[in-house]
Amino acid sequence: GKQWYQRRVRGVALMRFVSGRSRLPNDIADVSQRFQIMKTDKSKDGLPTSQTCFFQLRLPDYSSEIIMEERLRYAIHNCRSIDADNYMLARNVDNNSQGSFEDGII
């Protein structure tokens, strides 16, 4: 019960972080790109990043699995500026709109 739910919620949060979308497809078959994990040359034990256009999670080297989990959890839960859904919605409504950080659209 509870462990399954927690794993599921963490998986959804990771997919949002990597895809940059606030809403995910109902069916995994609707995901057009393969999920990739890439190694980066950033400093050891740094924060992970994502390349949402390529559906990539980018990880530096970590000194332990616990530190990797902590950094990944922190990045996922504190990165709220990426929302491709709202960007595309605003873009479709007004083609002249560039969007801004204040609008929550980047």
Side-chain angles (χ1 to χ4, degrees):
K2 185 178 179 182
Q3 287 180 342
W4 173 87
Y5 177 76
Q6 289 174 336
R7 283 193 308 271
R8 179 82 173 175
V9 168
R10 283 193 300 262
V12 169
L14 174 65
M15 297 303 285
R16 286 182 178 160
F17 179 72
V18 174
S19 70
R21 299 187 59 137
S22 62
R23 291 171 284 148
L24 299 174
N26 289 331
D27 186 348
I28 194 68
D30 294 334
V31 176
S32 61
Q33 295 177 330
R34 260 184 48 202
F35 173 68
Q36 299 175 34
I37 299 175
M38 309 294 288
K39 181 180 175 187
T40 65
D41 293 334
K42 289 188 172 194
S43 62
K44 189 174 189 169
D45 293 333
L47 288 172
T49 58
S50 65
Q51 283 194 296
T52 58
C53 293
F54 301 107
F55 207 40
Q56 292 179 352
L57 175 62
R58 301 175 62 78
L59 301 172
D61 281 331
Y62 291 102
S63 53
S64 74
E65 189 175 326
I66 292 170
I67 291 175
M68 181 187 72
E69 287 177 15
E70 288 173 354
R71 298 297 194 275
L72 188 55
R73 192 175 306 120
Y74 179 87
I76 288 170
H77 294 290
N78 290 288
C79 180
R80 301 286 184 221
S81 63
I82 300 173
D83 189 348
D85 294 339
N86 284 341
Y87 170 75
M88 292 309 293
L89 216 98
R91 188 172 179 197
N92 290 337
V93 170
D94 179 10
N95 287 333
N96 296 324
S97 172
Q98 294 296 315
S100 69
F101 287 109
E102 293 79 28
D103 297 330
I105 303 168
I106 57 171

